[in-house]
Amino acid sequence: MADDFVKAVEDGLKLSKRLYFGKDRPATPPKVPSSMDKSGAVDMLLPKSPMVYAVITDPKIVDNPDIPSYQPYVHGRCDPPSLIPLQMNAVELDVDCYLDTAFVRVSGTWRVHCVMGSKSCDCRIAVPMGDQGSILGVEAEISGKSYHTQLIALGENDGAGKSASVETGSFLKPNIFTLTLPQIDGGSYLSIRLRWSQKLSYRDGEFSVNVPFKFPEYVTPAIKKIPKREKIHLNVNAGTGTEVLCNTSSHPLKQLRRDVGKLGYSYESEVLKWSNIDFDFSYTVSPSHIFGGVLLQSPSVHDVDQREMFCMCLLPGTAKSRKVFKKDVIFVVDISGSMQGKPLEDTKNALAVALSKLDPGDSFNIIAFNGETYLFSTSMELATKETVERAHQWIGINFIAGGSTNICAPLTKAVEMLTNSRGSIPIIFLVTDGAVEDERQICDAMKSRLTNGGSICPRIYTFGIGSYCNHYFLRMLAMISRGYYGAAYDLDSIEIQMQKLFTRGFSSVLANIAIDTLKDLDEFEMYPSRIPDLSSESPLIVSGRYQGKFPDTLKAKGFLGDLSNFDVELKLQLAKDIPLDRICAKQQIDLLTAQAWFSEDKRLEEKVSKMSVQTGVLSEYTRMIIVETDERNNASESPGTNKGSKKSDHQKILDSEVPKTIMLQNLGIGFGDLTATAENFPPGSEIPKLPEVAEIFVKAASNCCSTLGNKCCCLCCIECCNKLNDQCVIVLTQLCTALACFGCFECCSNLCCCGQDGQ
């Protein structure tokens, strides 16, 4: 899909050469990389900032709406449609950072500068987001019309609005959301507001936020006299009640306020061209030791859950000398046929880096699986230089993609090998791109084994590749075992995301974390239900709901890397200006969805649906719709114009006030695909679909007509037909009718007797 998008933009930039802007400079398209450098072209033309494109199907409508260029007539149509980037007249960026989450809002004005004033076209909005971005909403106002997105529960309003194609609203890539607005007049101005959330990066006590804000030069208005104002507003509320220090900033921000745990900055300037770098900002919160706090908040009156909210944040500190756990690690890697090519090669590269990071005192093993199980060693091996080298050779020989997928046997074997671990933290890294039928049975077995295990049970760190594996099964496995879950929906991110998960597993500094005093509450619900280990690579966020009196003092307890006991007092404070429900929504929705899948509980599904609708966070049990409101209908209504109408004035007014809705296709990742796994479809590929009956009929009929036309429509044949007498014409007509009947017979045979391929 991304390659098709890039090709459409490339074609659109070529079409934009038709535009003429008088004496002002033309909007010169950038030099597009040659076909030899496909990866460079994709990287260059994919949006790196919020963008809007004109969707061009008819190239002859491309022209300056203010100054017609009288270009030569263009024959044909653009199939697939071309995308011309629209020029942007203003942009404003607002970023609010809370705990480990950033909420981003972008407001901008774009103009359809490339379509005749008498014509119209669709406009596609592209929203690139940062790390683990989640789209929250899109609003647009165009010439008396307004559009906004909202979430509804699955099954709600079915049939009330028209269904949309994939291009109307979908994810171009996991971090790029696109939405298409229908039929915008040439020369119109679009005022658009975009909202999304994303995770902050964390390293050595420093938080950083990176927002895609790199605009290409060709979105700068061609008319030099148009003012171009760029605004940025940044608010930081660490939620820890400790001092916050600014480290770096990509743009010249001016400090507005500075309080304990809070920062405020802004930037506003008239610019010649828009920002050509992403917005980056970093700040330090954590002192040198492990510390944390708990935020408490009452729900709003509109909250579907009226229980009190809490959120615990635990930070690992910056001490370089803090001892990490000794590790017993088993890598369980899928080598089924679908892992062929880049998925398996990137996995091998990430695994090689992970092996190099093991200390000589750590032990490890490798289990490869497809329908069978292959062990590097029958027992755990110390991570000496010689053993690691031997492991590299074994990987090169045995990591050959082929066969089916069986997760249960290798995972059970790995748990058995780590049952007797002492003085170390046992870790299993499970990497797969497929779904299996016995996933719930696997979760049941692991839950029984791991919750009844020793003082430190094996942690299962799960990693899903592509969209055919069941990511909620993998998330559930991780939650049961106090592990973490990672994913790469995009093939280009497999290696880097897998290395992040490996590094997180290797850097645990506090394990078996518990908060005992919360058990005295009347009602208590926590996400995740089993607290995972604290890693030096990221803060730990645990949230939930409760009823009763929250304790005045709270301590978190656990084991340090030297297996000594450790506890830290958590500072309690009321979260007055921090939206706890929005901060915790994504984590809670994902974990509750995993539990709903595992337990097959309809009540949990309904709970997730309500939470999703309330917070705007996408879920598997909600769908996004576009709501269109036309304010011009109300303005144009007058009693005098309705006299001859069958409907009453009151009914017409009611009809005009009913907004139109477009229901987008499901934007969730789903619960895996057993068919794709069984057929070994590689990640990123699409499952072949059988052709529709209408497609077969049109194809057969068009083939028949085109064949007949090719044979009978040359100039000499036409001249010959002009000299025929009536009897010959009648015979020829009967012959053509007979040929048409044969064509229909072939069409019917294709429809009724075709095989699986529909041909």
Side-chain angles (χ1 to χ4, degrees):
M1 187 180 290
D3 290 341
D4 295 338
F5 181 90
V6 167
K7 181 64 170 62
V9 174
E10 185 178 348
D11 293 341
L13 291 173
K14 292 176 182 177
L15 268 180
S16 65
K17 294 179 180 179
R18 293 171 54 85
L19 300 175
Y20 174 70
F21 296 96
K23 296 181 180 180
D24 285 292
R25 67 167 181 82
T28 305
K31 182 180 179 181
V32 180
S34 64
S35 57
M36 295 295 291
D37 187 13
K38 184 177 179 181
S39 61
V42 171
D43 184 65
M44 182 177 180
L45 296 179
L46 281 177
K48 296 180 177 61
S49 61
M51 297 276 290
V52 184
Y53 302 86
V55 182
I56 304 298
T57 56
D58 186 358
K60 67 175 179 286
I61 71 172
V62 176
D63 204 347
N64 187 337
D66 302 319
I67 309 174
S69 59
Y70 302 105
Q71 292 280 354
Y73 186 84
V74 179
H75 296 273
R77 298 179 67 82
C78 298
D79 186 19
S82 300
L83 298 176
I84 299 181
L86 298 187
Q87 294 179 356
M88 185 173 68
N89 291 345
V91 65
E92 183 173 349
L93 171 66
D94 292 273
V95 183
D96 296 324
C97 300
Y98 305 102
L99 301 180
D100 68 337
T101 303
F103 293 97
V104 183
R105 298 182 304 279
V106 174
S107 303
T109 303
W110 285 263
R111 190 184 187 218
V112 186
H113 71 288
C114 54
V115 174
M116 299 176 181
S118 59
K119 302 295 183 180
S120 61
C121 68
D122 293 348
C123 288
R124 186 169 302 167
I125 303 169
V127 189
M129 300 171 285
D131 186 31
Q132 300 181 52
S134 177
I135 189 71
L136 297 177
V138 177
E139 301 173 29
E141 294 180 1
I142 308 105
S143 304
K145 283 187 178 182
S146 65
Y147 301 86
H148 72 271
T149 61
Q150 69 181 60
L151 298 181
I152 61 172
L154 280 181
E156 182 180 336
N157 291 346
D158 279 354
K162 56 182 180 178
S163 298
S165 62
V166 174
E167 291 77 11
T168 304
S170 62
F171 284 97
L172 184 65
K173 297 188 82 171
N175 65 325
I176 302 178
F177 176 73
T178 62
L179 187 76
T180 302
L181 303 180
Q183 295 304 298
I184 310 300
D185 294 335
S188 299
Y189 287 89
L190 294 82
S191 297
I192 298 175
R193 293 175 293 280
L194 312 169
R195 295 180 293 113
W196 73 87
S197 66
Q198 62 183 62
K199 287 297 181 183
L200 302 176
S201 300
Y202 179 86
R203 185 174 181 83
D204 296 331
E206 180 183 271
F207 286 96
S208 60
V209 58
N210 176 274
V211 179
F213 207 60
K214 188 186 298 183
F215 296 94
E217 185 177 356
Y218 46 83
V219 303
T220 302
I223 301 176
K224 299 177 181 178
K225 297 179 182 179
I226 294 180
K228 295 174 281 294
R229 183 164 292 274
E230 193 173 75
K231 299 179 183 180
I232 298 176
H233 303 284
L234 172 71
N235 294 296
V236 175
N237 191 333
T240 57
T242 58
E243 189 69 19
V244 179
L245 301 176
C246 169
N247 289 347
T248 61
S249 175
S250 59
H251 292 69
L253 301 177
K254 178 182 178 181
Q255 183 171 304
L256 299 179
R257 57 189 172 278
R258 182 189 184 92
D259 298 317
V260 177
K262 300 178 183 179
L263 294 173
Y265 292 90
S266 72
Y267 159 75
E268 184 173 345
S269 176
E270 292 278 354
V271 295
L272 296 177
K273 60 180 182 179
W274 302 116
S275 170
N276 59 1
I277 57 174
D278 290 338
F279 175 72
D280 285 297
F281 185 83
S282 64
Y283 56 95
T284 302
V285 173
S286 176
S288 60
H289 57 275
I290 296 176
F291 85 108
V294 177
L295 298 173
L296 305 177
Q297 193 173 75
S298 297
S300 68
V301 293
H302 304 292
D303 200 326
V304 295
D305 191 340
Q306 285 298 306
R307 294 176 296 176
E308 301 292 312
M309 295 180 286
F310 78 91
C311 180
M312 181 191 79
C313 180
L314 205 58
L315 297 169
T318 59
K320 300 287 185 180
S321 59
R322 185 171 300 283
K323 183 178 180 181
V324 297
F325 284 86
K326 179 184 174 183
K327 299 172 286 294
D328 293 335
V329 184
I330 298 181
F331 300 94
V332 182
V333 181
D334 186 348
I335 59 168
S336 61
S338 57
M339 290 285 286
Q340 179 77 37
K342 185 174 175 58
L344 191 57
E345 290 303 315
D346 285 358
T347 300
K348 290 161 66 174
N349 295 338
L351 185 53
V353 174
L355 290 173
S356 68
K357 292 182 178 180
L358 291 173
D359 297 324
D362 297 332
S363 63
F364 77 98
N365 205 341
I366 305 171
I367 301 178
F369 71 92
N370 43 34
E372 305 294 330
T373 301
Y374 309 92
L375 275 71
F376 166 65
S377 174
T378 56
S379 61
M380 301 297 291
E381 298 276 351
L382 288 176
T384 61
K385 185 177 181 180
E386 294 77 14
T387 309
V388 171
E389 181 61 32
R390 204 156 40 86
H392 286 308
Q393 296 175 3
W394 185 86
I395 290 171
I397 296 172
N398 291 275
F399 274 36
I400 300 175
S404 57
T405 305
N406 181 355
I407 296 177
C408 183
L411 190 58
T412 302
K413 182 65 177 177
V415 172
E416 289 174 353
M417 296 182 74
L418 294 176
T419 300
N420 298 320
S421 294
R422 295 291 183 270
S424 60
I425 186 165
I427 301 174
I428 298 171
F429 289 106
L430 172 63
V431 178
T432 185
D433 70 336
V436 291
E437 294 182 349
D438 58 345
E439 289 169 342
R440 290 188 178 87
Q441 291 83 348
I442 293 174
C443 287
D444 275 326
M446 292 300 111
K447 189 174 183 180
S448 176
R449 278 176 172 270
L450 301 181
T451 55
N452 297 328
S455 58
I456 301 182
C457 69
R459 273 69 169 141
I460 303 178
Y461 285 67
T462 57
F463 190 85
I465 299 175
S467 59
Y468 296 147
C469 62
N470 187 347
H471 291 272
Y472 295 103
F473 157 63
L474 299 177
R475 194 182 291 274
M476 192 68 196
L477 266 183
M479 182 169 58
I480 288 171
S481 63
R482 295 179 182 262
Y484 285 93
Y485 152 84
Y489 304 105
D490 185 6
L491 295 185
D492 295 333
S493 63
I494 292 175
E495 187 172 343
I496 186 171
Q497 294 297 334
M498 196 178 297
Q499 286 185 13
K500 284 183 179 180
L501 185 69
F502 289 162
T503 302
R504 193 175 201 177
F506 289 169
S507 56
S508 296
V509 295
L510 187 65
N512 278 23
I513 301 171
I515 308 172
D516 295 332
T517 53
L518 294 180
K519 296 178 181 178
D520 299 330
L521 293 170
D522 298 339
E523 190 175 341
F524 177 68
E525 191 174 289
M526 183 172 67
Y527 312 100
S529 55
R530 303 192 74 200
I531 302 177
D533 300 333
L534 175 65
S535 167
S536 62
E537 296 295 313
S538 61
L540 174 62
I541 303 292
V542 178
S543 61
R545 300 272 183 161
Y546 71 94
Q547 280 186 341
K549 187 180 184 304
F550 208 85
D552 297 328
T553 60
L554 204 62
K555 284 187 177 182
K557 303 177 181 179
F559 294 109
L560 293 175
D562 57 4
L563 300 183
S564 61
N565 292 325
F566 176 83
D567 63 71
V568 57
E569 186 170 343
L570 303 175
K571 182 179 179 181
L572 272 66
Q573 56 179 322
L574 297 177
K576 297 181 179 179
D577 50 359
I578 299 179
L580 279 190
D581 57 336
R582 294 169 56 211
I583 294 171
C584 305
K586 183 74 169 68
Q587 179 194 45
Q588 292 182 6
I589 285 174
D590 288 341
L591 293 174
L592 279 171
T593 302
Q595 290 180 5
W597 163 82
F598 176 56
S599 62
E600 300 180 274
D601 189 339
K602 295 296 182 183
R603 290 176 300 176
L604 277 181
E605 294 179 8
E606 185 178 350
K607 182 176 181 178
V608 172
S609 175
K610 291 180 178 179
M611 189 182 299
S612 174
V613 172
Q614 176 181 303
T615 59
V617 177
L618 291 171
S619 76
E620 299 296 333
Y621 308 113
T622 51
R623 289 185 67 175
M624 180 177 285
I625 62 171
I626 304 174
V627 181
E628 175 189 338
T629 304
D630 193 343
E631 299 175 359
R632 296 173 300 182
N633 287 344
N634 294 335
S636 61
E637 288 289 343
S638 61
T641 60
N642 295 331
K643 292 180 180 179
S645 174
K646 294 181 180 180
K647 290 186 178 181
S648 65
D649 294 341
H650 178 68
Q651 184 62 41
K652 279 202 167 186
I653 294 174
L654 288 178
D655 291 344
S656 66
E657 291 176 351
V658 175
K660 299 177 183 177
T661 61
I662 302 174
M663 186 170 294
L664 305 187
Q665 296 193 2
N666 195 344
L667 300 175
I669 59 175
F671 298 96
D673 194 318
L674 294 173
T675 302
T677 302
E679 297 292 335
N680 276 330
F681 288 120
S685 65
E686 294 185 2
I687 300 177
K689 296 181 179 180
L690 295 177
E692 298 290 340
V693 173
E695 291 180 5
I696 298 175
F697 182 83
V698 171
K699 183 178 179 181
S702 61
N703 286 343
C704 175
C705 294
S706 62
T707 303
L708 187 62
N710 290 336
K711 302 297 182 182
C712 302
C713 289
C714 63
L715 182 60
C716 60
C717 184
I718 294 174
E719 291 178 352
C720 180
C721 290
N722 288 333
K723 299 179 180 180
L724 294 176
N725 58 28
D726 294 343
Q727 288 78 10
C728 291
V729 171
I730 294 172
V731 171
L732 185 60
T733 303
Q734 292 173 341
L735 177 62
C736 291
T737 304
L739 290 175
C741 290
F742 281 119
C744 292
F745 176 77
E746 181 184 0
C747 174
C748 293
S749 65
N750 285 334
L751 291 176
C752 302
C753 307
C754 63
Q756 287 295 322
D757 58 356
Q759 297 181 6

